[in-house]
């Protein structure tokens, strides 16, 4: 089976072609056109500019992949930015009509989870699983009883974890996207010998609460207050920026790990599955793997390769494959910015 997939939910235009052969996904093309440079000056994604870029880039990417013998088209239908999603959905509908191919709408959160099947056998992951999806737009803990069986256990009440990284980077003036910028400054801090280190303490919001919800907007505010209380010379110093990035990153990681492991223990998860742009963070990957191994050795951690954590069409193709039974009349397919993953 050959699948063509389209992703335009946020600021990356993605087109991928993959083949399912001998129980594995074989990557034929995985093209991404990033808009990072365009959104840099806003410190976040500007929806109408993003829409315009998708309209410009999608036809260019489609031209670069083979349309030969496509059995199925998958398109991200939501959640995401409404004007951006519609570009992909409308394009996919036209293409499905032209190629006379079935079209499957894909849930972006499910796609982030199913990215873990790329380069792995189709039945390699054991259930129940607890999934943590953390990106610029979403932070959700999900109980997965099998493919297609999801229940949201908790989610952010305000900012997403990636959004928090992006806003902190903006306060500190270290660039966009914030995640990789904060991670690099934090890494520099870790390299320093002990006595040169400046200590900063930030809160770990909701870490001791019984629920599986998150809140990151207070953390960003705590960073802002600390920043404003420092003298201009100090807050522009490398020493301060590195110490702040280290502490902010660790605060986010602590909360994410604590709640994920609590859910995994509670639901006796055989697998912990990670997905979303924030999972590209090396410290999060390392610390979560170490803690899982120590505290719940019966649970196996699945983390996609870093480049498959951030938005791409390949994962939409994988999700389309698993949802191939749900192919719809393309005329009825709609984008839904608030699409939920819950099946019960
Ligand atoms: O999944 P994604 O590409 O787009 C959305 O669906 O939102 O995630 C983008 C987010 C951004 O907020 C970015 O700052 C964050 O992922 N991110 C990271 C890292 N790389 C990307 N956050 C922390 N550490 C990273 N290394
Ligand atoms: Zn995403």
């Amino acid at each position: 089976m050959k699948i063509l997939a389209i992703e335009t939910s946020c600021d990356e235009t993605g087109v991928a072609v993959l083949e399912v052969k001998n129980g594995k996904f074989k990557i034929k093309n995985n093209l991404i056109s990033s808009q990072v440079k365009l959104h840099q000056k806003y410190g976040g994604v500007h929806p109408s500019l993003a829409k315009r870029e998708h309209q410009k880039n999608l036809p260019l990417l489609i031209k670069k992949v083979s349309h030969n013998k496509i059995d199925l088209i998958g398109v991200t239908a939501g959640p995401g930015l409404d004007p951006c999603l519609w570009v992909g959905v409308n394009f996919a509908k036209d293409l499905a009509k032209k190629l006379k191919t079935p079209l499957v709408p894909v849930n972006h959160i499910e796609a982030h989870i199913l990215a873990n099947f790329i380069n792995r056998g189709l039945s390699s992951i054991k259930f129940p699983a607890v999934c943590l999806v953390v990106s610029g737009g979403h932070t959700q803990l999900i109980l997965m009883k099998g493919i297609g069986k999801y229940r949201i256990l908790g989610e952010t009440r305000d900012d997403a974890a990636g959004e928090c990284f992006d806003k902190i980077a903006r306060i500190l003036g270290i660039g966009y996207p914030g995640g990789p910028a904060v991670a690099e400054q934090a890494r520099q801090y870790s390299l320093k010998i002990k006595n040169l280190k400046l200590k900063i303490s930030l809160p770990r919001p909701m870490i001791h609460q019984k629920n599986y919800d998150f809140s990151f907007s207070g953390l960003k505010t705590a960073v802002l207050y600390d920043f404003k209380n420092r003298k201009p010379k100090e807050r522009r110093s490398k020493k301060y920026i590195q110490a702040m990035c280290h502490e902010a990153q660790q605060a986010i990681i602590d909360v994410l790990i604590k709640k994920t492991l609590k859910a995994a223990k509670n639901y006796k998860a055989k697998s912990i599955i990670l997905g979303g742009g924030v999972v590209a963070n090396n410290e999060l990957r390392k610390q979560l793997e170490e803690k899982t191994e120590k505290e719940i050795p019966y649970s196996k951690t699945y983390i996609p390769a870093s480049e498959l954590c951030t938005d791409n069409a390949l994962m939409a193709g994988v999700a389309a494959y698993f949802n191939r039974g749900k192919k719809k009349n393309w005329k009825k397919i709609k984008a839904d910015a608030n699409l939920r993953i819950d099946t019960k």
Side-chain angles (χ1 to χ4, degrees), residues 134-136 138-139 160-163 165 252 256 275-282 284-285 309-310:
V134 265
S135 70
H138 322 281
T139 299
E163 190 179 356
F165 271 109
I252 296 170
L256 293 177
V278 176
V279 175
N281 187 285
N282 283 330
L284 172 62
R285 301 164 81 93
C309 291
T310 44

Side-chain angles (χ1 to χ4, degrees), residues 17-263:
V17 175
L18 61 151
E19 218 175 341
V20 191
K21 233 182 184 175
N22 306 327
K24 274 202 160 181
F25 292 102
K26 208 169 152 219
I27 306 167
K28 294 270 174 193
N29 304 92
N30 183 25
L31 308 179
I32 297 170
S33 173
S34 175
Q35 305 175 9
V36 163
K37 281 208 176 100
L38 181 75
H39 301 292
Q40 236 153 19
K41 56 177 176 283
Y42 304 100
V45 181
H46 193 294
S48 54
L49 283 184
K51 174 189 168 182
R52 200 189 64 192
E53 287 300 295
H54 287 308
Q55 283 170 326
K56 195 177 86 193
N57 295 327
L58 192 49
L60 301 177
L61 294 187
I62 286 280
K63 268 192 200 147
K64 291 187 185 166
V65 302
S66 154
H67 298 175
N68 213 1
K69 294 190 182 149
I70 299 290
D71 301 295
L72 193 69
I73 299 176
V75 63
T76 308
L81 300 171
D82 190 68
C84 299
L85 289 165
W86 274 111
V87 176
V89 166
N90 284 331
F91 195 94
K93 283 175 156 187
D94 285 346
L95 197 64
K97 193 176 158 193
K98 205 171 100 193
L99 300 180
K100 297 189 177 62
T101 308
L103 178 61
V104 176
V106 164
N107 180 305
H108 185 63
I109 303 291
E110 185 180 25
H112 271 304
I113 294 170
L114 300 180
N116 284 283
F117 281 95
I118 300 167
N119 300 326
R120 236 180 234 122
L122 291 179
S123 53
S124 54
I125 299 181
K126 295 205 164 54
F127 300 105
V130 161
C131 313
L132 173 72
V133 179
V134 265
S135 70
H138 322 281
T139 299
Q140 286 184 337
L141 254 180
I142 298 156
L143 176 65
M144 182 180 183
K145 290 202 171 155
I147 291 169
K149 292 183 189 156
Y150 308 99
R151 179 151 71 85
I152 298 174
L153 300 174
E155 59 196 315
T156 185
R157 294 184 180 176
D158 40 59
D159 293 352
E163 190 179 356
C164 184
F165 271 109
D166 294 336
K167 286 178 174 171
I168 290 170
R170 199 169 166 186
I171 294 167
L172 300 174
I174 55 169
Y176 174 83
V182 170
E184 176 52 24
Q185 295 296 326
R187 195 183 67 85
Q188 295 293 336
Y189 178 88
S190 311
L191 297 175
K192 292 227 159 84
I193 46 169
K194 254 194 174 114
N195 58 7
L196 279 177
K197 288 183 178 175
L198 167 69
K199 290 267 180 294
I200 299 175
S201 279
L202 293 171
R204 268 68 177 152
M206 298 182 74
I207 198 163
H208 297 301
Q209 289 193 14
K210 282 204 172 119
N211 54 53
Y212 295 112
D213 282 346
F214 303 91
S215 164
F216 291 106
S217 100
L219 181 61
K220 164 213 68 194
T221 309
V223 172
L224 185 65
Y225 281 153
D226 188 281
F227 180 83
K228 281 189 168 166
N229 283 332
R230 308 264 170 178
K231 293 203 170 74
K233 196 174 166 208
E234 185 186 12
R235 67 195 192 200
R236 278 198 295 269
S237 70
K238 252 192 203 167
K239 190 174 173 177
Y240 175 72
I241 290 172
Q242 290 175 359
M244 180 53 94
C245 287
H246 184 267
E247 174 64 2
Q249 174 177 273
Q250 196 56 49
I252 296 170
I253 290 176
D254 285 348
V255 182
L256 293 177
I257 293 183
K258 178 92 184 188
K259 299 238 168 181
T260 305
L261 294 197
K262 197 173 97 176

